[in-house]
Amino acid sequence: MVGVLVVSHSRRAAEGIVEVAAEMAGDVAIAGVGGDPDGGIGTSAPAIGEALDAIDDDPVVVLVDLGSAVMNAEIAIESYDGEAVIADAPVLEGAVNCAVEAGSPKATIESVREAAEAAGDVAKL
């Protein structure tokens, strides 16, 4: 299976996005990480790395909320022993799409990333 990691500048935002996506995830390993090491707003490459290592599934599709989360996720992925990619997707809608696709027995890291990125084309109105 393919795992999903949500990276946000806010721990609570990451937890909330995971909560919503998990409703669609079935047995998919989905986790969230957010906030700086002092509990404030920000992201941390070491914390992202720990979250990647804690996900039971490999490969992992990573969703990020803002620019510096991309930088820290890239740093963490460089040190990750498994395979991980960042999806260029809206974080909440992308996480839901990821969760659904990752639950498919035919899911691949590419299909899960593509599902996340397809969420950017969905109109809300």
Side-chain angles (χ1 to χ4, degrees):
M1 289 186 89
V2 179
V4 179
L5 177 62
V6 174
V7 178
S8 175
H9 279 70
S10 165
R11 178 187 52 80
R12 292 186 312 195
E15 290 170 352
I17 292 165
V18 167
E19 179 183 16
V20 172
E23 286 293 314
M24 305 292 197
D27 291 333
V28 174
I30 181 167
V33 61
D36 70 12
D38 298 322
I41 298 297
T43 60
S44 161
I48 296 167
E50 289 173 14
L52 282 168
D53 290 336
I55 292 178
D56 292 335
D57 288 332
D58 174 47
V60 178
V61 174
V62 180
L63 293 113
V64 295
D65 64 356
L66 298 171
S68 63
V70 173
M71 178 185 67
N72 281 321
E74 289 173 338
I75 291 167
I77 289 170
E78 286 177 15
S79 301
Y80 180 52
D81 287 334
E83 182 181 11
V85 296
I86 299 172
D88 185 12
V91 67
L92 175 58
E93 295 89 340
V96 170
N97 280 9
C98 268
V100 171
E101 177 62 24
S104 166
K106 296 181 181 181
T108 65
I109 191 169
E110 293 84 15
S111 71
V112 174
R113 180 183 45 83
E114 288 171 4
E117 292 177 351
D121 297 329
V122 176
K124 294 185 182 184
L125 299 178

